[in-house]
Amino acid sequence: MIRNHPLLPALALLLGISTQTHADSFDDAVNQFLKGFDYCKEAKTHLSGNRIPQAQASLRQYQKLLEEATRINPEILSTSKRGMDGNLKFCQRVTRDVEVEAGMPTMNKALAACDAAQQALKDENPAKAQEDHAQFKQLRDEALQIAPSLGEIFSVKSQINRCERIENKIASFSQQQQALTLSLEAAQEASSAYVSSCQKTLENLKKELVDEPVLRDANQGIASAQSHKRNAREDRLA
């Protein structure tokens, strides 16, 4: 014969109360969330009307109520009961879309600065290219701070990568221009030395008495002038 333990009815009662309490807290949490969900839908409406500041304000209210609901019962974040999973995904999309719309104007300015840098490079103006590219980096960072999810959009990410590669092109162009400047300076110095050698040789030949030492100096001057002329030509071609 099975005898009932005198505590079993009490345990059953406690379990029933606990289960009911859990169910009640879940419903309370969902109901609190749904108040916030109304703000989420409101943010979507504002977004459709391109009213970004109002959409951001509605999302702040949604986030506040979501946190309150989560404190009541965190299970609402990981369940499909009462459509919670679908509602959360909807609000996540709205939040992301509002964030992108808020950051995109600054990102567009960044990309415009990048295009200006690329054009300056084509115009062989590395100083302006560097200035425009520095502005691109500043605006890019500002845009990503406003909307980190911008970096996850493929088209935007591709544009950012393209602009970041321009920095290497600017540096390479600057190095080439510096090398060209040094080459031209060397050619100018060699040309000046060539003219000086010619003038000195002519002055020696104009003397009344052209003796052997003068002729020897003149030949050396001509050889020196030819050497400087050859150096100048090679520097120009370098």
Side-chain angles (χ1 to χ4, degrees):
M1 181 178 179
I2 300 175
R3 298 177 61 186
N4 291 330
H5 195 283
L7 293 178
L8 285 179
L11 288 173
L13 179 61
L14 288 174
L15 287 173
I17 293 174
S18 176
T19 301
Q20 184 61 42
T21 301
H22 178 77
D24 290 344
S25 72
F26 178 81
D27 287 337
D28 290 343
V30 172
N31 291 336
Q32 187 70 4
F33 167 80
L34 290 176
K35 295 177 184 178
F37 188 64
D38 288 338
Y39 284 106
C40 177
K41 292 186 290 185
E42 184 178 87
K44 175 67 174 176
T45 301
H46 287 312
L47 178 62
S48 299
N50 200 31
R51 297 183 296 273
I52 306 306
Q54 292 89 331
Q56 290 174 317
S58 295
L59 284 176
R60 284 192 292 270
Q61 291 297 322
Y62 158 74
Q63 191 63 39
K64 176 184 176 183
L65 290 165
L66 173 63
E67 291 172 0
E68 291 177 1
T70 303
R71 284 196 294 270
I72 296 171
N73 191 327
E75 185 183 343
I76 63 171
L77 298 178
S78 58
T79 182
S80 60
K81 296 177 182 177
R82 295 187 61 179
M84 278 301 305
D85 54 343
N87 290 339
L88 286 169
K89 288 178 181 178
F90 173 82
C91 292
Q92 288 169 358
R93 287 195 300 270
V94 172
T95 300
R96 180 178 180 273
D97 292 345
V98 170
E99 180 183 282
V100 167
E101 287 299 317
M104 202 62 206
T106 303
M107 182 59 74
N108 285 334
K109 292 178 183 178
L111 296 176
C114 165
D115 292 339
Q118 189 169 29
Q119 184 59 50
L121 196 58
K122 290 180 180 179
D123 295 339
E124 299 185 354
N125 189 345
K128 187 176 186 307
Q130 288 177 333
E131 180 182 343
D132 289 333
H133 196 269
Q135 185 180 24
F136 153 73
K137 291 194 292 185
Q138 178 184 347
L139 291 169
R140 173 205 60 193
D141 292 346
E142 290 179 8
L144 291 176
Q145 186 175 6
I146 296 170
S149 54
L150 277 172
E152 301 170 4
I153 299 175
F154 179 77
S155 59
V156 175
K157 187 176 181 179
S158 298
Q159 290 279 54
I160 291 175
N161 291 339
R162 173 183 67 85
C163 292
E164 289 173 346
R165 288 194 297 270
I166 291 177
E167 187 169 17
N168 293 331
K169 295 181 181 179
I170 295 172
S172 177
F173 184 88
S174 297
Q175 291 172 355
Q176 292 174 3
Q177 189 177 55
Q178 184 178 12
L180 178 61
T181 299
L182 292 174
S183 177
L184 290 174
E185 289 176 352
Q188 185 177 10
E189 290 176 1
S191 297
S192 298
Y194 166 70
V195 172
S196 178
S197 296
C198 287
Q199 290 175 341
K200 183 178 180 181
T201 301
L202 287 173
E203 289 174 0
N204 289 336
L205 290 174
K206 286 179 181 179
K207 293 181 178 179
E208 294 180 0
L209 180 60
V210 180
D211 53 13
E212 185 176 346
V214 172
L215 287 175
R216 185 171 60 251
D217 290 343
N219 287 330
Q220 291 177 349
I222 292 171
S224 177
Q226 289 175 338
S227 176
H228 288 308
K229 181 179 181 181
R230 184 169 55 255
N231 290 338
R233 185 184 300 112
E234 290 175 353
D235 286 333
R236 284 197 299 271
L237 294 175

